[in-house]
Each structure stands twice: as C-alpha cells, then as structure tokens.
Amino acid sequence: MKQSVDNSRRDFLAKTAIAGTITIASGVLLHQTANAKSLNETSTRNPHTPVSNINRWGLLIDTNKCGKSCSACVDACNTENGLAGRTGPQDTQYIRKVTLRDKSTGHELSLPLMCQHCESAPCVDVCPVNASFIRADGIALVDRHLCIGCRYCMMACPYKARSFVHEELHNQKTSDPRGIGTVEACNMCVTRVDAGKIPACVEACSADNHKAMMFGDLNDPESGISVELKKHGGKQIRADLALNTGVHYQGLNE
Amino acid sequence: MSKIEYTSLQGKSPAYFVLLGVLGLFTFTGILAAWYMEHNGHHVTGMTNQIVWGTPHIFAIFLIVAASGALNVASIASVFSKKIYEPMARLSALLAIALLAGGLVVLLLDLGRPDRLIVAMTHYNFTSVFAWNIILYSGFFTFCGLYLWTMMDHNVHQYKKYAGFSAFVWRLILTTGTGSIFGFLVARSAYETAIMAPMFVIMSFSYGLAIFILVLMATYKASQMELGDVVILRLRNLLGVFVAAVLYFTFVYHLTNIYDADRRDFERFILLDGGIYTTVFWIGDIIIGGLIPLLLIYLPSIKKNRTVLGWICGMIILGGLSQVYVIVIGGQAFPLEIFPGYDVSSSFYDGIVNSYTPSLPEILLGSSGIAITLLIVVFMLKVLRFMPNSLADNVIDPHYSVK
Ligand code: SF4
C-alpha cells in the first residue's frame, strides 16, 4: 500500500515536473519569440492598443539594394489592394518603380516611389473637405466617404503619389475599399499595420531577398529603422519643401 | 447727366425665344455631358492622373476670373464716383453674378462626386485655399446681390455706396483667392509664385470688361435702344489699358521665372519648345489676345467702329481662354520635378511631357458655362430693369460733343 502511495506520489511529482517544465519552457519560448519580433523591428503596434501619436510609421528604402528590374513591391501592392496593375495614364498606381540617371555622372539607380506620408502634407492643406488627413500615427489617408473628387490634392502633391479612380470598380478588397470619382494613394497598408503586420511591399521585398525596404516606428529611437537612420543617414525626397516625410531613402545624391 | 430711366427687355419677339432656346439647349447638353461623365467615370474624358484638371477647369476658371472683372464698371461708378459709368452699374453687377454662377456650375459638375455637394458645404478645412474660395464665392453673390438691391430699390438707395464698396473689396479678394489656388501649389514650377494672384486680378479686369462690352452692345442693338459713342469710347479706352496691363504682367511673370534657375526649364518649355503650349501661348495669348487688340484699340481711324470693337472683345476672350489653357494645362503637362539633378522614367509617366486631348463631353460641359451665364443674363434682363432706357451721348453727358 505504502509503496503504491509512494509510487503514485512519485508519479505525481514527475508529471508535475514535466508539465511545469513544458509550461515554463514554452513561456520562455514565447517570450523569446516576442523579443525577437521587437528586435527585428518589422513589428507593428499591438493590435489591441489604439492608434496614437506614440508611433510614427515610416519606411526606409536603400536604393543600393533595390533591384533594377525587380517589381516585387509593386506586384505585392497591387495584389494587396486589389489594383488591376494596369499602367495607362488613367490607371491607379499606389507604388511605382522609378529609374533615375544622375545627370552629371550618368550613374543609374532604381527605387520604389509611393506616398511619402508627409507630416506637413500639401494634400491635407489643400483638401477643401478634410477628406485627406494624416492619422495620429503618421499615415496619410483619404476618407473616400468624404472625398468630392476635386483633385486639388493631386495638383498639390510634390510626388505625384495620388491617383483618381476614373472607372467603376469591381472585385474590390475589403481591406482597401475604393470608389469611383475619388482619389486614392498608398495607405502604408494601414489594415495590415493595424493587424500587427508590415506593409505588403516591404514583406515582398524581403521575401525576394533584396531587403531594400524597411518599415518601422520613427518615433521609437530603438526601432530598427531609427537605428539604421541614425547610423547611416537617409534622405527625404524634395527635402527643400520641408514636409518631413515618413519615407526616407538611402543612396540618393544630396 | 439727365435722370436715368431703367427698362427691361420686352422679351416677346421670336428672336428672344430662339435665343433662350439655343442657350437652354447648350446648357442642357452641358448637363447631359456631365451626367455622362459621372455615370461612366472620368475615363470618358481626356483627363488622366497626370493632367488632372482639364477643359472644364479652363472654362470654369476663365468665367470665375471674368466675373470679378465684369463688376468693374459698377465699381468705377460707385467707388471712384465716375458718373458716366453709373447707368451701367446694374448690368455690370448682373453679369458678374451670372459669370460666377456659370463658372461654378461647371466646376461643380466636373467633380468626381458632384453628388457630394452637401459634403462640400458642411465639411470645411480652413487651411484649404479651395475652401476659402467657397466662402469667397458665396460672399461675392451676397455682396453683388445687396449692391443690386440698393441700386434698384429706392428705399435702400442711401446704402448703395457702401454696398458698392464692399462688393469692390470682396471681388479683389475673390480674384486673389482664385489666383492663390495656383500660387499655393508648392511643388509645381509653373505655379508657386506670388505674382499669380495680382496677375489674376489684372486678367479679370480685361476679360470681364471685354465680355461686358459685348453683352452691352448686343443687348442695345437687339432691343434697338441707343448706345452712344461717349460710353463706348470710354469703355474702349479702359479696355486698352487693361489689355496692356495683362501683357505687362504676363511679361513680368515669365521674366521672374526665367531669373529663377529652378523654373528656367519650365519657361523654355512654354516659350520655346513646348509644342502646342508654346503655339497657344504666342499665337493665342500674346498675339490674338494682346497685341492685335491693343493695336486695333489705339488705331484712330477705326475708333468708332463697333464691329471692330466686337472683334476686339472676341479676341480678348479667346486670348483669355488661351492664357488659362497655358497656365492650367501647360503647367501640368510639364513634368513635375521630383528628383532634381536626375533624369527619370517610370510606368507613371515621370519625367516626360504629359499629353492631353480633351474629349467631347468635357468640351460640352466646359463651354456650357458660357451658355449658363448668358441664359441667366438674358432671362434676368426680361424680369427686372437692368438697362438704362438710353445710353445716348446727350443722356450720358449733355456737354459732350463727339469729335
Ligand atoms: S480630391 Fe478628395 S481628397 Fe483630394 S483634395 Fe479633393 S476632396 Fe480632398
């Protein structure tokens, strides 16, 4: 009897120990995963905390790493947002590949160009109905329920980042509801960001092994993007306009 | 000046109804075109993501600018107390209101979502020049309306001067506002310059007066009332001054651009190698809209020739449309400088001159603005008394003898 009690106690202890180890180990594991995510810095806001100006989302693009003939980011963007990917003069393009040739040296480079998510955005300044706005976390958006389609923002944008929907749309993505007669642009994949994911273009660029695009929080000095900007610097396009863009580039002439 | 009696158009002749009918038809086609554009989306227009403002905007901006200038005659009468212009003040204010209405209807119907007018009225962004303009337009209607009221109703006659003054000040602000729509576009080489606003004011003087003279001559001829040389010669001289001023401002605008290294390429484009824009600039804006009218205005031998004056006004209007075309379309056709120091190319037409061919619906919509304006004028002339019985020389100035 005693033996059996002892046995059962031993059994119990052993089982508890195993269970405990598993629990602790998995806890540690989870913890490590979480840590790795924040170090990797492609992480986003916790989906359960509200949008606030604690974050300022931005992109850093290294033109040296950007593949000249690669269009992974453009394709990913089209798929993510349900864009047809046509390139006629009336077609929407949220992101495009631009080839640059230095006029003095002849040096060629290639980069993706999209809405630069300015802090002092000209589109927001000119929009008569407040349809263009900058979200608290720095993402420039168009409220398609308000936009009257005047296209003043398109005239004002220094990056030609916006498109006007010229035609009736079909098969839209729920993540990016669009509307005929209104203006649209890169929204930094706001639904993905809100779900704790990174923008589709950045993901595609990494998946393609170029790693030319980086997404992160410019307000957080520890974030990968901030650390990289601090270490190697970065340039804003048309910095002379002092718009404080959320998108930065490396490898461009001063 | 003898006491001026005002009259309205009889408006019973078949010609009157034919005119109303034709204008109505043009207006209707314009609205139909707008419906077609809205129904199918802007892909049935020549406008693109590169040329985002097209023909409707040329007409709309031209009419809005001209509206403020049409008020000139009234302003000179009330603000500067020039008696000779006073009898024409009512017509001047009416035309101003009608032009603004015509321009705004076009602007509105071209919106991607014209059905959201209520949104435009209820959501205000006070940093937007566009939103200021909405206030400016409403104010212009109000002030011109009040001004007309004080002119037409003897009970409130004593306020005429104040109303006239407010309308005058308001219309200067209005045109400055219209010019600023462009002046505030920081990124575009063509537009971001302070001279844009005063240039628009002076353009408004010229276009508005040209349209006013045409309307005045046409109505008096059609209703067989007397319109003497005193009035006509005065207006003609004034027009000469305005045309010269527009030429001068155009010159200064381009000169300042040439001095600015960043804008030199744009200037080269407009003045030398911009194809259609260069042609329209030199032939339409400068020669037809400026030099020929100026020459004809100051040619003594045809001083009193009304037909020539009609042609002059027509040329100024054509020149005005050309000028707005070059500013609006030429300014967008020139590639936006996103990466200074680089040659660029992309699938989004970066770095190249954008092309624009207007489609029929947008031309119909744009030009219907003129029809709407004239429809309002022709209709109102019948309803209320806007026209002095006679503008004969002895009525205007008994001491005047035409040499
Ligand atoms: S097109 Fe829409 S978002 Fe752009 S300025 Fe007009 S109302 Fe605002």
Side-chain angles (χ1 to χ4, degrees):
Chain A
M1 179 75 186
K2 190 161 193 276
Q3 199 182 12
S4 73
V5 169
D6 273 359
N7 270 351
S8 64
R9 184 190 283 160
R10 204 174 299 129
D11 207 33
F12 170 76
L13 282 176
K15 278 184 180 155
T16 315
I18 292 167
T21 312
I22 290 173
T23 315
I24 291 167
S26 60
V28 168
L29 221 73
L30 276 175
H31 184 66
Q32 275 172 350
T33 319
N35 253 352
K37 203 173 176 190
S38 75
L39 281 177
N40 185 5
E41 205 17 78
T42 40
S43 72
T44 56
R45 193 185 77 244
N46 178 338
H48 301 294
T49 54
V51 175
S52 76
N53 60 5
I54 294 173
N55 312 107
R56 178 168 185 213
W57 303 116
L59 296 169
L60 175 61
I61 293 155
D62 186 345
T63 59
N64 295 314
K65 292 185 187 156
C66 176
K68 283 207 177 88
S69 53
C70 172
S71 63
C73 54
V74 179
D75 302 337
C77 175
N78 290 339
T79 312
E80 175 67 27
N81 295 296
L83 308 180
R86 289 190 301 260
T87 55
Q90 291 184 327
D91 292 321
T92 290
Q93 298 187 39
Y94 286 2
I95 179 172
R96 60 192 189 263
K97 283 297 297 287
V98 183
T99 308
L100 308 178
R101 207 183 59 89
D102 191 318
K103 280 183 193 163
S104 50
T105 62
H107 175 67
E108 257 197 30
L109 54 99
S110 158
L111 53 79
L113 184 66
M114 70 299 273
C115 171
Q116 301 287 295
H117 300 280
C118 312
E119 187 186 345
S120 329
C123 56
V124 175
D125 284 346
V126 300
C127 177
V129 294
N130 280 326
S132 290
F133 67 102
I134 307 291
R135 214 167 72 148
D137 56 4
I139 301 181
L141 295 172
V142 179
D143 183 336
R144 286 100 189 254
H145 293 294
L146 279 185
C147 174
I148 54 173
C150 66
R151 286 102 80 204
Y152 196 16
C153 54
M154 299 176 74
M155 291 289 279
C157 176
Y159 309 103
K160 224 156 72 91
R162 296 196 154 190
S163 295
F164 179 67
V165 181
H166 287 81
E167 271 182 283
E168 192 72 60
L169 300 164
H170 306 282
N171 305 327
Q172 296 197 46
K173 287 276 170 80
T174 42
S175 56
D176 182 36
R178 308 163 60 206
I180 185 172
T182 62
V183 161
E184 54 184 358
C186 154
N187 52 29
M188 231 189 245
C189 286
V190 69
T191 15
R192 290 174 62 107
V193 171
D194 285 349
K197 294 197 275 184
I198 63 171
C201 55
V202 181
E203 193 177 81
C205 184
S206 294
D208 235 40
N209 240 337
H210 290 292
K211 300 199 172 56
M213 302 177 84
M214 194 173 199
F215 169 82
D217 186 358
L218 297 166
N219 276 354
D220 173 7
E222 315 268 280
S223 71
I225 192 169
S226 299
V227 170
E228 176 59 23
L229 275 169
K230 191 166 178 202
K231 213 182 328 173
H232 295 116
K235 193 182 176 295
Q236 301 184 18
I237 302 176
R238 289 300 309 264
D240 55 315
L241 298 174
L243 306 174
N244 190 15
T245 58
V247 183
H248 299 252
Y249 288 83
Q250 291 175 331
L252 275 179
N253 285 348
E254 279 316 308
Chain B
M1 196 186 300
S2 25
K3 180 144 177 42
I4 301 287
E5 295 287 339
Y6 289 90
T7 181
S8 54
L9 274 188
Q10 286 252 304
K12 291 201 181 94
S13 67
Y16 179 80
F17 288 105
V18 169
L19 181 63
L20 269 191
V22 169
L23 292 174
L25 196 70
F26 267 104
T27 305
F28 181 69
T29 353
I31 292 171
L32 214 63
W35 176 82
Y36 176 73
M37 277 161 61
E38 209 216 330
H39 190 74
N40 291 284
H42 273 59
H43 91 100
V44 297
T45 71
M47 290 179 262
T48 61
N49 285 330
Q50 286 70 43
I51 308 281
V52 302
W53 285 353
T55 306
H57 300 82
I58 300 175
F59 281 95
I61 291 167
F62 175 80
L63 289 169
I64 292 168
V65 168
S68 132
L71 197 66
N72 251 323
V73 170
S75 302
I76 299 172
S78 62
V79 180
F80 302 105
S81 304
K82 295 273 189 251
K83 283 266 173 288
I84 184 172
Y85 293 99
E86 206 171 309
M88 295 174 285
R90 294 181 180 187
L91 185 61
S92 155
L94 169 67
L95 186 58
I97 292 179
L99 281 165
L100 184 64
L104 284 184
V105 168
V106 173
L107 205 59
L108 190 82
L109 290 181
D110 173 74
L111 289 179
R113 299 297 304 256
D115 52 313
R116 290 188 180 162
L117 180 63
I118 296 297
V119 175
M121 302 288 217
T122 48
H123 287 77
Y124 251 71
N125 171 13
F126 284 98
T127 63
S128 168
V129 190
F130 242 26
W132 302 349
N133 272 278
I134 297 175
I135 301 179
L136 292 176
Y137 300 147
S138 335
F140 189 78
F141 282 130
T142 315
F143 282 117
C144 284
L146 283 177
Y147 183 32
L148 269 176
W149 181 34
T150 58
M151 282 193 279
M152 299 177 103
D153 182 350
H154 283 286
N155 298 324
V156 286
H157 220 58
Q158 68 267 36
Y159 302 113
K160 191 174 75 177
K161 189 132 189 118
Y162 305 109
F165 188 73
S166 327
F168 169 72
V169 174
W170 198 263
R171 83 108 195 282
L172 286 183
I173 305 175
L174 175 100
T175 320
T176 312
T178 316
S180 303
I181 287 182
F182 294 98
F184 274 69
L185 298 174
V186 290
R188 305 241 174 201
S189 322
Y191 302 138
E192 197 230 346
T193 154
I195 198 176
M196 218 64 181
M199 189 166 90
F200 266 72
V201 172
I202 213 72
M203 277 154 58
S204 82
F205 287 2
S206 168
Y207 310 164
L209 189 58
I211 298 174
F212 178 80
I213 295 175
L214 270 185
V215 169
L216 184 74
M217 291 201 302
T219 6
Y220 274 74
K221 190 160 183 191
S223 50
Q224 290 165 339
M225 294 192 295
E226 245 189 290
L227 175 62
D229 280 335
V230 174
V231 165
I232 286 295
L233 290 181
R234 272 291 182 97
L235 293 176
R236 185 187 176 111
N237 280 340
L238 193 62
L239 190 62
V241 175
F242 291 160
V243 172
V246 171
L247 276 176
Y248 170 74
F249 264 85
T250 311
F251 175 72
V252 174
Y253 165 69
H254 289 286
L255 199 68
T256 41
N257 274 355
I258 291 172
Y259 270 120
D260 186 337
D262 291 344
R263 302 215 181 96
R264 212 162 285 159
D265 287 343
F266 172 70
E267 278 309 310
R268 162 169 267 285
F269 175 71
I270 294 295
L271 303 180
L272 295 176
D273 52 22
I276 174 107
Y277 306 106
T278 308
T279 315
V280 174
F281 174 76
W282 287 110
I283 303 207
D285 183 0
I286 300 296
I287 298 180
I288 297 181
L291 295 177
I292 300 181
L294 207 56
L295 200 79
L296 292 178
I297 288 173
Y298 291 112
L299 215 63
S301 55
I302 45 168
K303 206 164 81 172
K304 287 185 203 154
N305 188 326
R306 304 256 168 117
T307 316
V308 173
L309 184 56
W311 277 104
I312 294 173
C313 294
M315 282 191 282
I316 293 172
I317 293 170
L318 208 67
L321 285 167
S322 308
Q323 184 161 26
V324 179
Y325 170 86
V326 172
I327 293 174
V328 175
I329 312 291
Q332 296 174 84
F334 185 72
L336 190 61
E337 181 94 342
I338 304 176
F339 299 96
Y342 287 99
D343 286 327
V344 297
S345 62
S346 79
S347 61
F348 206 53
Y349 309 88
D350 288 298
I352 57 168
V353 173
N354 300 300
S355 61
Y356 168 67
T357 319
S359 71
L360 185 65
E362 42 183 328
I363 297 175
L364 289 177
L365 171 61
S367 52
S368 73
I370 298 179
I372 293 169
T373 301
L374 294 178
L375 196 63
I376 296 174
V377 172
V378 172
F379 178 72
M380 288 308 286
L381 283 180
K382 181 174 171 172
V383 178
L384 289 171
R385 292 192 209 155
F386 285 97
M387 301 175 304
N389 257 336
S390 162
L391 284 170
D393 295 347
N394 58 348
V395 177
I396 291 297
D397 181 1
H399 310 295
Y400 187 90
S401 66
V402 181
K403 282 150 218 123

mmCIF file of all heavy atoms in Angstrom, chain B residues 243-258:
data_model
loop_
_atom_site.group_PDB
_atom_site.id
_atom_site.type_symbol
_atom_site.label_atom_id
_atom_site.label_comp_id
_atom_site.label_asym_id
_atom_site.label_seq_id
_atom_site.Cartn_x
_atom_site.Cartn_y
_atom_site.Cartn_z
ATOM 1 N N VAL B 243 -5.768 95.588 -71.294
ATOM 2 C CA VAL B 243 -5.057 94.629 -72.151
ATOM 3 C C VAL B 243 -3.548 94.850 -72.038
ATOM 4 O O VAL B 243 -2.768 93.899 -71.896
ATOM 5 C CB VAL B 243 -5.516 94.756 -73.621
ATOM 6 C CG1 VAL B 243 -4.647 93.894 -74.530
ATOM 7 C CG2 VAL B 243 -6.970 94.345 -73.757
ATOM 8 N N ALA B 244 -3.157 96.107 -72.038
ATOM 9 C CA ALA B 244 -1.732 96.409 -71.895
ATOM 10 C C ALA B 244 -1.216 95.916 -70.555
ATOM 11 O O ALA B 244 -0.119 95.350 -70.463
ATOM 12 C CB ALA B 244 -1.515 97.919 -72.032
ATOM 13 N N ALA B 245 -2.030 96.099 -69.512
ATOM 14 C CA ALA B 245 -1.608 95.665 -68.178
ATOM 15 C C ALA B 245 -1.433 94.147 -68.120
ATOM 16 O O ALA B 245 -0.490 93.643 -67.513
ATOM 17 C CB ALA B 245 -2.612 96.125 -67.130
ATOM 18 N N VAL B 246 -2.342 93.420 -68.761
ATOM 19 C CA VAL B 246 -2.226 91.950 -68.760
ATOM 20 C C VAL B 246 -0.935 91.535 -69.466
ATOM 21 O O VAL B 246 -0.195 90.677 -68.977
ATOM 22 C CB VAL B 246 -3.439 91.280 -69.444
ATOM 23 C CG1 VAL B 246 -3.183 89.791 -69.625
ATOM 24 C CG2 VAL B 246 -4.695 91.479 -68.625
ATOM 25 N N LEU B 247 -0.659 92.186 -70.589
ATOM 26 C CA LEU B 247 0.579 91.880 -71.310
ATOM 27 C C LEU B 247 1.790 92.135 -70.420
ATOM 28 O O LEU B 247 2.721 91.328 -70.362
ATOM 29 C CB LEU B 247 0.679 92.736 -72.571
ATOM 30 C CG LEU B 247 -0.051 92.213 -73.803
ATOM 31 C CD1 LEU B 247 0.055 93.215 -74.942
ATOM 32 C CD2 LEU B 247 0.501 90.860 -74.239
ATOM 33 N N TYR B 248 1.740 93.250 -69.738
ATOM 34 C CA TYR B 248 2.849 93.614 -68.866
ATOM 35 C C TYR B 248 3.045 92.558 -67.768
ATOM 36 O O TYR B 248 4.156 92.089 -67.529
ATOM 37 C CB TYR B 248 2.601 94.989 -68.243
ATOM 38 C CG TYR B 248 3.575 95.337 -67.160
ATOM 39 C CD1 TYR B 248 4.889 95.700 -67.471
ATOM 40 C CD2 TYR B 248 3.208 95.278 -65.817
ATOM 41 C CE1 TYR B 248 5.804 95.987 -66.472
ATOM 42 C CE2 TYR B 248 4.108 95.562 -64.814
ATOM 43 C CZ TYR B 248 5.400 95.920 -65.139
ATOM 44 O OH TYR B 248 6.303 96.187 -64.152
ATOM 45 N N PHE B 249 1.945 92.154 -67.135
ATOM 46 C CA PHE B 249 2.045 91.162 -66.065
ATOM 47 C C PHE B 249 2.529 89.808 -66.583
ATOM 48 O O PHE B 249 3.300 89.111 -65.930
ATOM 49 C CB PHE B 249 0.702 91.001 -65.342
ATOM 50 C CG PHE B 249 0.638 91.828 -64.098
ATOM 51 C CD1 PHE B 249 0.252 93.156 -64.154
ATOM 52 C CD2 PHE B 249 0.993 91.291 -62.868
ATOM 53 C CE1 PHE B 249 0.215 93.939 -63.015
ATOM 54 C CE2 PHE B 249 0.958 92.062 -61.723
ATOM 55 C CZ PHE B 249 0.573 93.394 -61.793
ATOM 56 N N THR B 250 2.039 89.455 -67.769
ATOM 57 C CA THR B 250 2.477 88.195 -68.359
ATOM 58 C C THR B 250 3.986 88.234 -68.574
ATOM 59 O O THR B 250 4.712 87.278 -68.283
ATOM 60 C CB THR B 250 1.774 87.965 -69.713
ATOM 61 O OG1 THR B 250 0.374 88.191 -69.525
ATOM 62 C CG2 THR B 250 1.993 86.569 -70.227
ATOM 63 N N PHE B 251 4.450 89.365 -69.033
ATOM 64 C CA PHE B 251 5.876 89.567 -69.268
ATOM 65 C C PHE B 251 6.663 89.420 -67.958
ATOM 66 O O PHE B 251 7.645 88.677 -67.879
ATOM 67 C CB PHE B 251 6.069 90.957 -69.886
ATOM 68 C CG PHE B 251 7.495 91.364 -70.079
ATOM 69 C CD1 PHE B 251 8.265 90.772 -71.083
ATOM 70 C CD2 PHE B 251 8.067 92.336 -69.282
ATOM 71 C CE1 PHE B 251 9.585 91.147 -71.266
ATOM 72 C CE2 PHE B 251 9.380 92.720 -69.458
ATOM 73 C CZ PHE B 251 10.148 92.124 -70.450
ATOM 74 N N VAL B 252 6.189 90.102 -66.927
ATOM 75 C CA VAL B 252 6.898 90.057 -65.641
ATOM 76 C C VAL B 252 6.879 88.646 -65.064
ATOM 77 O O VAL B 252 7.886 88.152 -64.549
ATOM 78 C CB VAL B 252 6.268 91.050 -64.633
ATOM 79 C CG1 VAL B 252 6.902 90.889 -63.253
ATOM 80 C CG2 VAL B 252 6.446 92.476 -65.129
ATOM 81 N N TYR B 253 5.740 87.980 -65.199
ATOM 82 C CA TYR B 253 5.610 86.605 -64.682
ATOM 83 C C TYR B 253 6.666 85.701 -65.309
ATOM 84 O O TYR B 253 7.363 84.960 -64.621
ATOM 85 C CB TYR B 253 4.196 86.101 -64.976
ATOM 86 C CG TYR B 253 3.989 84.613 -64.850
ATOM 87 C CD1 TYR B 253 4.029 83.983 -63.608
ATOM 88 C CD2 TYR B 253 3.733 83.830 -65.978
ATOM 89 C CE1 TYR B 253 3.819 82.623 -63.499
ATOM 90 C CE2 TYR B 253 3.524 82.462 -65.869
ATOM 91 C CZ TYR B 253 3.576 81.866 -64.635
ATOM 92 O OH TYR B 253 3.370 80.513 -64.535
ATOM 93 N N HIS B 254 6.786 85.783 -66.618
ATOM 94 C CA HIS B 254 7.746 84.909 -67.280
ATOM 95 C C HIS B 254 9.185 85.342 -67.018
ATOM 96 O O HIS B 254 10.086 84.512 -66.905
ATOM 97 C CB HIS B 254 7.456 84.830 -68.785
ATOM 98 C CG HIS B 254 6.204 84.056 -69.069
ATOM 99 N ND1 HIS B 254 6.145 82.694 -68.953
ATOM 100 C CD2 HIS B 254 4.955 84.455 -69.410
ATOM 101 C CE1 HIS B 254 4.916 82.277 -69.216
ATOM 102 N NE2 HIS B 254 4.170 83.332 -69.501
ATOM 103 N N LEU B 255 9.373 86.646 -66.891
ATOM 104 C CA LEU B 255 10.717 87.140 -66.614
ATOM 105 C C LEU B 255 11.196 86.670 -65.244
ATOM 106 O O LEU B 255 12.321 86.183 -65.094
ATOM 107 C CB LEU B 255 10.716 88.674 -66.679
ATOM 108 C CG LEU B 255 12.084 89.289 -66.865
ATOM 109 C CD1 LEU B 255 12.622 88.967 -68.260
ATOM 110 C CD2 LEU B 255 12.015 90.811 -66.677
ATOM 111 N N THR B 256 10.319 86.774 -64.225
ATOM 112 C CA THR B 256 10.731 86.327 -62.887
ATOM 113 C C THR B 256 11.020 84.836 -62.908
ATOM 114 O O THR B 256 11.932 84.366 -62.240
ATOM 115 C CB THR B 256 9.658 86.607 -61.811
ATOM 116 O OG1 THR B 256 8.388 86.312 -62.375
ATOM 117 C CG2 THR B 256 9.692 88.019 -61.328
ATOM 118 N N ASN B 257 10.240 84.093 -63.690
ATOM 119 C CA ASN B 257 10.501 82.658 -63.801
ATOM 120 C C ASN B 257 11.853 82.378 -64.433
ATOM 121 O O ASN B 257 12.558 81.456 -64.039
ATOM 122 C CB ASN B 257 9.415 81.984 -64.645
ATOM 123 C CG ASN B 257 8.220 81.592 -63.794
ATOM 124 O OD1 ASN B 257 8.236 81.740 -62.587
ATOM 125 N ND2 ASN B 257 7.185 81.097 -64.442
ATOM 126 N N ILE B 258 12.206 83.189 -65.426
ATOM 127 C CA ILE B 258 13.487 82.966 -66.092
ATOM 128 C C ILE B 258 14.639 83.244 -65.134
ATOM 129 O O ILE B 258 15.648 82.552 -65.124
ATOM 130 C CB ILE B 258 13.601 83.851 -67.358
ATOM 131 C CG1 ILE B 258 12.609 83.355 -68.412
ATOM 132 C CG2 ILE B 258 15.018 83.811 -67.925
ATOM 133 C CD1 ILE B 258 12.476 84.248 -69.616
#
